[in-house]
Amino acid sequence: EAGVAQSPRYKIIEKRQSVAFWCNPISGHATLYWYQQILGQGPKLLIQFQNNGVVDDSQLPKDRFSAERLKGVDSTLKIQPAKLEDSAVYLCASSLATGVAKNIQYFGAGTRLSVL
Amino acid sequence: GESVGLHLPTLSVQEGDNSIINCAYSNSASDYFIWYKQESGKGPQFIIDIRSNMDKRQGQRVTVLLNKTVKHLSLQIAATQPGDSAVYFCAETPYTGGFKTIFGAGTRLFVKA
């Protein structure tokens, strides 16, 4: 079974530029998550989709971050304009279901973003 | 507020010894807990989980203990191997109108050969 695919693996941009990340979840997984992981910290949820609808985006900085999941499969996360503090690894995860306590998430390798 | 923390940021053990990684959580509404392992350059990987109606759960070389009285979770790794070197995260899933997974800061495990 193929895992969660993310691209690119690395990205270096200057502040105020824009950047986009792509994620392809495990086939059949209805729920997709984007996390931000700053060095030395645990992942922090940015946004959670159930199919192509948003379940939780309470921690997404909506003035600069946006995400979409068209057709309930692939997803993109965009940052525009980027700030220095956005330097982090952006992880995508997927799970079979949401709305239940038992919810094992499967993660991609992440995109490491450096904002200079 | 909600938080999941770890007692030790780093742990160093000798190969073959047992490892114990601790985690404190603050949300009494949490019903489900997961331990994830993250190796360098990779995303977190599921290790083992436990529901709040259990005190202990065993997997292959790993055991998770849950003490709801003091809101404490631990991961025990038997006969630690070099391949176990990684950052370990505990995550809780409190019910706050929906189930949301909250990750702790992580513990880095070093295994000395």
Side-chain angles (χ1 to χ4, degrees):
Chain A
E1 174 181 88
V4 176
Q6 288 189 248
S7 67
R9 288 284 281 122
Y10 305 94
K11 190 74 177 178
I12 301 173
I13 61 172
E14 294 186 350
K15 60 183 179 182
R16 292 188 289 274
Q17 286 187 323
S18 62
V19 64
F21 313 125
W22 173 83
C23 173
N24 179 242
I26 292 173
S27 178
H29 280 194
T31 309
L32 184 147
Y33 313 79
W34 283 103
Y35 288 87
Q36 180 192 59
Q37 185 175 26
I38 293 173
L39 185 65
Q41 299 181 16
K44 183 185 85 171
L45 180 68
L46 292 175
I47 189 167
Q48 177 179 337
F49 292 95
Q50 171 75 7
N51 296 310
N52 60 348
V54 176
V55 173
D56 185 343
D57 63 357
S58 58
Q59 298 191 94
L60 186 74
K62 298 180 185 65
D63 58 332
R64 298 185 301 106
F65 286 64
S66 65
E68 60 181 8
R69 190 183 184 197
L70 299 177
K71 300 180 181 179
V73 182
D74 293 4
S75 177
T76 56
L77 175 70
K78 297 179 182 178
I79 307 175
Q80 182 179 16
K83 292 185 176 181
L84 297 177
E85 58 261 36
D86 297 332
S87 294
V89 174
Y90 290 85
L91 295 163
C92 179
S94 69
S95 65
L96 275 172
T98 191
V100 296
K102 186 175 175 66
N103 185 22
I104 297 171
Q105 297 176 32
Y106 297 85
F107 287 80
T111 296
R112 182 176 297 277
L113 174 67
S114 296
V115 182
L116 306 178
Chain B
E2 300 169 352
S3 67
V4 177
L6 295 170
H7 295 309
L8 296 172
T10 62
L11 177 65
S12 184
V13 299
Q14 197 69 39
E15 181 180 359
D17 288 351
N18 296 334
S19 302
I20 300 176
I21 301 172
N22 295 303
C23 176
Y25 65 95
S26 61
N27 197 316
S28 58
S30 290
D31 182 55
Y32 178 61
F33 304 87
I34 305 176
W35 280 99
Y36 286 92
K37 171 186 179 182
Q38 187 173 26
E39 296 175 278
S40 180
K42 298 182 179 180
Q45 179 184 12
F46 170 85
I47 302 173
I48 191 168
D49 59 357
I50 188 167
R51 296 293 296 262
S52 60
N53 60 353
M54 301 172 68
D55 298 322
K56 179 180 179 179
R57 189 161 190 224
Q58 287 185 293
Q60 186 177 12
R61 283 202 307 119
V62 294
T63 300
V64 56
L65 299 177
L66 175 62
N67 186 330
K68 295 180 287 295
T69 302
V70 295
K71 296 179 186 172
H72 183 268
L73 199 67
S74 68
L75 176 70
Q76 299 178 3
I77 304 174
T80 312
Q81 303 169 359
D84 295 326
S85 293
V87 177
Y88 290 81
F89 295 98
C90 67
E92 62 175 320
T93 308
Y95 182 77
T96 55
F99 290 104
K100 183 175 181 176
T101 302
I102 301 172
F103 284 81
T107 293
R108 182 173 294 279
L109 176 65
F110 291 101
V111 181
K112 295 176 289 186

